[in-house]
Amino acid sequence: MTKAINEEQLLSSLNGPQREAVVTTDGPLLLLAGAGSGKTSVMTRRIAYLTNVKKLDPWNILAITFTNKAAREMSERVRQWIGDAADDMWICTFHAMCVKILRREARHLDLTPTFTILDADDQASMIKQCMLDLNHDIKKFDPASVQWKISAAKNELQSPATFVSAGNSPVDPIVRGVFLAYEQQLRRANALDFDDLIGKTVTLFETFPDVLKTYQEKFLYIHVDEYQDTNRAQYQLIHMLAREHQNVCVVGDADQAIYRWRGADRANLDYFGRDFPTHKMIKLEQNYRSTETILKAANAVIQNNQNRVEKSLWSTKGAGEKIAVYAAQDAEDEAIYTLSKIQAHVGDGGRFSDCTVLYRANAQSRAVEDVLLQAAIPYHVVGGMTFYDRREIKDVMAYLKAIANPQDEISLLRIINIPKRSIGEGTIRKLLDYAHDEDLTLMDAIKQAKKIEQLKSAEQVARFAQLMDSLQERMIGATVTEFLHDVLRETGYREMYAQSSKEEDRARLENLDELDRITRSFDRRRRGSVLDFLAETSLMTEVDRNENDERDAVRLMTVHASKGLEFPVVFVLGVEETVFPHSRSLDTLEGVEEERNLFYVAVTRAKDKLHLSYCLERSTFGQVHMNDPSRFLQEIPEDFTERTGADPVQEARFEIGMSVRHPQYGVGVITDLVGAGEEQMLSITFRSKYGTKDIVPRITRLRVLG
């Protein structure tokens, strides 16, 4: 039932551009939504406006987001406006939408509706096995590089037949053959990988126009969030669905385009105007998150990017505190500074969870983790090993996958001898060979084990086949939680750990209990099938996997992982040339500009207080580097910052007898000094094996110790 909400209620509390975006429902709309500008509120009210004011049937509305977390939030907020009618809408991620379509239309693509969705680990295992089957040396040709190439090709809608290599990687000559073998293995396993979900849906629509027509008539009004992060396949999918009725609203911000490395194309925002020439554009520039000082700094930085639509964020929160910029001697000093500011915030009545530490690369977290551990401060690294990465959870999920889809060879191989059933590697090899020779699936070979000559464990394999058949029957009509209990009991998996006295095995039991809690929540929320549960967990992003951590703890994460989030206090580490912007980005203008977008994202995560820090010297892979402060720091007007920390060492006045640290030779004492300014040369006697060296300070950054 749809709740009775009138237009005045829907539009109350919105600013002018937000109101315009809500009521502009017919025809194509490009919504340029700056960070923290209330786009979710606009989209949810727009959907409610369509149902309550325009009287549109809810099942004719599609809203696409990029994370399950965002989809759930949007769905909950829509429900607040329109009630149970929200259940009839498709509010989901690209991949979740495509899973629904492909399950319904599987017969058109030589799939069954029970197809498995491979996660990244399963995909890596299958590609590695394909390489071994083709006699490729996996030490010479990195399977991870092949996997990346295949993923990139699929996002560009390439098949093995149309694959065109980009670049000059050593793996390029073998990718096409591995790609073909991998696709054949996927078909045998009745499986799709993450990239296939969108690509196969595009193929479905291209090959079967009547199927496309069905979904064009279903989705009369389409909404797409984070449009600047769409890749070619996603762009093509939306264009196909929207071209009939053209009632499509895309929401994006080119200033926050940070995923070029995984195929996203910010130019899709530009293509929208080309594809829908009658479109209207509305800018959302009022920010409801950050202080004026933070926003002015962000605006000053991002305006250095070329070819962007002018947009300037503003706020009514007031100026707030200045941005703290700290010059650290090294990564340890940077970490100690961060610790001290976190302790001060908590000492003033704040919470640890108010504070988030952002960095460009994962390796930068180590120094901060060390000082937080020493100070006994709780912290959580977002993007570390997640619950679903744990061995026992992957085992149980493999059981569920293999039972739901008996063609899933990877899952079968994982659990065929867990718990131990005396089915060793030799037996498994013979089963695989028999399956290959007889053109059978592995499960079919398992069921015919007694026909295989000299198979010593044939009886054990037969019992395993009976177990899987029995569990497949139990799955029918059971809730996910009921079926989970059956699997854990009948396989002996839970008992395997219950009988152990090891501390780590007790922890594994606790994780199995947590999985039980997750399935119970799923059953209450969706009452879906085991396949639905497997699809939901397979489609989780990094943000989704960490969203339920509600501990009062400092969060550590990459800037990429922080997209879409906000925090009262933000620390951005390593704001140095070659670190942020990253060294790999410095060769092209496009690369530098995406790094500037990433810095803009980092800055606009902060609500109240922002700390930026850089090191005068940083150790990387055993080498000490002396990087200049990031160009992005120089782009922030001095009026918005408060700078503390070490003075730039290159401006130091050197004297005989002074102790200094050299980035390569370590600590030494100045024993002689000749010349001045840029021509100055120092003789330094080092305490190490290096003895006395002549050093030119102009070209070697020295740290003054005293």
Side-chain angles (χ1 to χ4, degrees):
M1 180 180 294
T2 302
K3 291 173 66 175
I5 302 292
N6 62 39
E7 183 172 353
E8 183 179 348
Q9 290 172 298
L10 281 170
L11 300 180
S12 64
S13 76
L14 297 181
N15 62 40
Q18 289 176 328
R19 285 174 173 243
E20 186 181 8
V22 168
V23 302
T24 306
T25 56
D26 293 336
L29 174 65
L30 173 58
L31 197 57
L32 295 183
S37 60
K39 64 176 181 179
T40 303
S41 179
V42 169
M43 290 182 73
T44 53
R45 293 181 194 228
R46 194 174 192 274
I47 291 170
Y49 186 86
L50 284 168
T51 57
N52 288 64
V53 179
K54 302 281 286 188
K55 304 302 180 183
L56 190 75
D57 290 327
W59 49 84
N60 291 139
I61 297 173
L62 170 67
I64 300 175
T65 68
F66 265 78
T67 68
N68 290 290
K69 178 177 183 289
R72 280 195 291 273
E73 179 185 353
M74 185 177 293
S75 183
E76 289 164 4
R77 291 171 70 168
V78 167
R79 181 180 296 278
Q80 290 173 2
W81 286 113
I82 69 173
D84 293 342
D87 293 337
D88 294 322
M89 295 179 184
W90 284 28
I91 302 176
C92 53
T93 65
F94 269 104
H95 294 91
M97 175 187 73
C98 290
V99 168
K100 286 185 179 183
I101 293 172
L102 292 173
R103 294 258 191 243
R104 293 179 176 188
E105 313 295 341
R107 66 189 184 281
H108 293 294
L109 295 173
D110 195 26
L111 290 167
T112 75
T114 61
F115 63 80
T116 297
I117 303 167
L118 268 61
D119 62 22
D121 287 343
D122 290 341
Q123 184 183 14
S125 296
M126 187 177 282
I127 287 175
K128 181 179 177 181
Q129 188 58 53
C130 288
M131 293 177 68
L132 293 172
D133 291 344
L134 293 170
N135 296 317
H136 292 309
D137 184 348
I138 60 174
K139 293 182 179 178
K140 179 180 179 182
F141 302 112
D142 180 15
S145 296
V146 176
Q147 181 177 355
W148 186 88
K149 288 274 185 179
I150 291 174
S151 177
K154 289 188 175 188
N155 286 331
E156 288 295 314
L157 298 175
Q158 294 179 7
S159 67
T162 61
F163 172 74
V164 177
S165 178
N168 298 301
S169 169
V171 304
D172 286 353
I174 71 166
V175 173
R176 186 190 298 271
V178 178
F179 194 174
L180 178 60
Y182 173 58
E183 288 296 285
Q184 292 169 341
Q185 281 291 90
L186 285 172
R187 282 197 296 274
R188 282 174 56 86
N190 189 36
L192 299 175
D193 63 28
F194 204 63
D195 303 308
D196 281 328
L197 298 176
I198 296 172
K200 294 293 185 185
T201 306
V202 171
T203 298
L204 172 72
F205 288 163
E206 289 176 337
T207 310
F208 300 95
D210 56 327
V211 176
L212 171 60
K213 184 71 172 176
T214 298
Y215 289 95
Q216 286 175 333
E217 293 305 317
K218 174 176 175 55
F219 301 130
L220 299 179
Y221 287 81
I222 299 172
H223 305 75
V224 187
D225 196 9
E226 305 288 4
Y227 198 68
Q228 77 282 346
D229 291 335
T230 53
N231 58 34
R232 182 184 173 190
Q234 292 163 334
Y235 159 80
Q236 180 71 8
L237 181 61
I238 291 303
H239 186 253
M240 295 172 81
L241 285 171
R243 69 187 176 203
E244 180 71 17
H245 299 285
Q246 303 216 354
N247 297 321
V248 54
C249 169
V250 301
V251 185
D253 181 7
D255 294 338
Q256 297 185 74
I258 60 174
Y259 292 115
R260 183 169 61 98
W261 52 275
R262 71 180 190 194
D265 187 355
R266 64 167 296 280
N268 286 345
L269 282 171
D270 302 326
Y271 297 154
F272 185 81
R274 178 197 67 190
D275 297 334
F276 301 97
T278 62
H279 80 284
K280 184 173 186 177
M281 182 175 71
I282 300 173
K283 298 179 186 178
L284 301 183
E285 298 173 288
Q286 182 175 355
N287 176 286
Y288 293 88
R289 174 189 300 158
S290 307
T291 64
E292 273 289 324
T293 297
I294 291 171
L295 296 180
K296 286 179 178 177
N299 290 334
V301 171
I302 203 63
Q303 70 181 7
N304 290 281
N305 276 357
Q306 302 174 13
N307 302 317
R308 59 181 290 269
V309 177
E310 182 57 36
K311 183 172 81 298
S312 185
L313 298 180
W314 59 277
S315 170
T316 59
K317 282 186 67 173
E321 296 184 52
K322 287 191 174 184
I323 297 168
V325 178
Y326 182 72
Q329 291 287 359
D330 52 27
E332 182 180 6
D333 183 23
E334 182 179 49
I336 291 170
Y337 166 81
T338 304
L339 169 67
S340 68
K341 296 303 179 182
I342 292 171
Q343 290 173 321
H345 174 77
V346 174
D348 288 339
R351 291 168 53 85
F352 290 121
S353 57
D354 294 338
C355 303
T356 296
V357 181
L358 305 181
Y359 34 80
R360 179 63 181 82
N362 280 305
Q364 292 172 254
S365 73
R366 184 198 57 78
V368 179
E369 288 188 70
D370 285 348
V371 298
L372 293 175
L373 277 171
Q374 292 168 16
I377 287 180
Y379 71 91
H380 170 57
V381 180
V382 175
M385 176 180 278
T386 69
F387 177 76
Y388 291 96
D389 293 325
R390 300 183 187 280
R391 185 178 78 189
E392 59 277 13
I393 302 305
K394 290 186 76 69
D395 286 345
V396 175
M397 297 298 281
Y399 266 110
L400 300 185
K401 290 177 183 179
I403 296 164
N405 174 23
Q407 293 171 251
D408 185 348
E409 186 173 293
I410 289 178
S411 296
L412 274 173
L413 289 173
R414 183 180 182 98
I415 51 87
I416 191 171
N417 198 40
I418 299 177
K420 292 189 181 298
R421 301 184 175 92
S422 300
I423 302 175
E425 289 297 321
T427 297
I428 292 171
R429 186 69 259 169
K430 286 184 179 180
L431 288 167
L432 288 168
D433 289 343
Y434 181 79
H436 183 268
D437 293 342
E438 300 295 325
D439 194 24
L440 300 172
T441 67
L442 176 59
M443 194 64 204
D444 289 335
I446 288 171
K447 291 180 178 180
Q448 297 180 24
K450 292 184 178 180
K451 295 181 180 180
I452 303 174
E453 294 182 5
Q454 297 181 333
L455 191 67
K456 295 180 180 178
S457 303
E459 197 61 45
Q460 291 91 330
V461 174
R463 283 200 294 271
F464 174 72
Q466 292 169 359
L467 169 67
M468 297 298 280
D469 281 344
S470 171
L471 287 170
Q472 199 167 33
E473 291 178 5
R474 287 174 178 266
M475 184 175 64
I476 300 171
T479 66
V480 179
T481 305
E482 289 168 346
F483 185 59
L484 173 67
H485 292 173
D486 286 340
V487 169
L488 292 175
R489 181 182 62 255
E490 297 300 319
T491 63
Y493 192 87
R494 184 182 184 89
E495 187 64 20
M496 174 178 66
Y497 291 126
Q499 291 179 349
S500 172
S501 59
K502 295 179 181 177
E503 183 65 32
E504 63 189 67
D505 289 342
R506 283 198 288 270
R508 296 189 195 283
L509 282 173
E510 291 174 1
N511 288 331
L512 294 178
D513 289 340
E514 176 64 11
L515 182 60
D516 177 82
R517 187 196 65 78
I518 290 170
T519 60
R520 289 179 185 277
S521 173
F522 174 85
D523 288 334
R524 287 194 301 270
R525 179 165 42 86
R526 288 190 56 183
R527 189 71 183 186
S529 67
V530 172
L531 277 172
D532 294 329
F533 176 70
L534 291 172
E536 182 169 288
T537 55
S538 295
L539 300 179
M540 284 184 173
T541 65
E542 184 176 291
V543 172
D544 297 319
R545 290 173 184 265
N546 288 282
E547 68 169 316
N548 293 323
D549 195 314
E550 298 178 353
R551 293 173 290 171
D552 183 22
V554 178
R555 280 166 289 192
L556 281 65
M557 68 182 78
T558 65
V559 182
H560 280 100
S562 74
K563 178 76 178 294
L565 305 177
E566 59 183 39
F567 317 99
V569 183
V570 169
F571 299 83
V572 185
L573 310 185
V575 190
E576 306 150 29
E577 291 293 297
T578 76
V579 177
F580 201 178
H582 197 280
S583 57
R584 289 195 302 266
S585 72
L586 299 178
D587 293 338
T588 65
L589 176 64
E590 190 177 31
V592 171
E593 292 203 341
E594 182 160 81
E595 289 290 299
R596 187 175 282 111
N597 286 352
L598 191 60
F599 184 73
Y600 177 81
V601 167
V603 168
T604 54
R605 298 312 93 194
K607 297 168 68 174
D608 304 314
K609 182 64 179 179
L610 175 63
H611 298 262
L612 307 175
S613 59
Y614 63 94
C615 297
L616 300 181
E617 63 181 50
R618 182 179 295 278
S619 179
T620 308
F621 301 116
Q623 297 291 319
V624 177
H625 301 276
M626 292 183 170
N627 303 318
D628 291 326
S630 172
R631 66 192 70 190
F632 306 146
L633 280 180
Q634 316 308 319
E635 293 167 358
I636 299 176
E638 291 287 337
D639 291 350
F640 303 147
T641 65
E642 185 175 51
R643 299 179 182 246
T644 58
D647 291 326
V649 179
Q650 60 265 38
E651 297 178 7
R653 300 180 66 175
F654 298 106
E655 300 175 1
I656 293 174
M658 181 179 284
S659 295
V660 295
R661 181 189 295 276
H662 186 279
Q664 181 178 354
Y665 305 135
V667 175
V669 176
I670 299 174
T671 55
D672 198 7
L673 183 154
V674 178
E678 292 191 353
E679 302 303 319
Q680 189 176 59
M681 179 178 288
L682 308 177
S683 290
I684 304 175
T685 300
F686 293 96
R687 299 175 187 172
S688 59
K689 61 183 179 181
Y690 297 106
T692 300
K693 300 282 186 181
D694 291 333
I695 304 295
V696 179
R698 177 176 60 83
I699 60 175
T700 303
R701 186 178 288 175
L702 298 171
R703 175 178 168 186
V704 176
L705 302 179

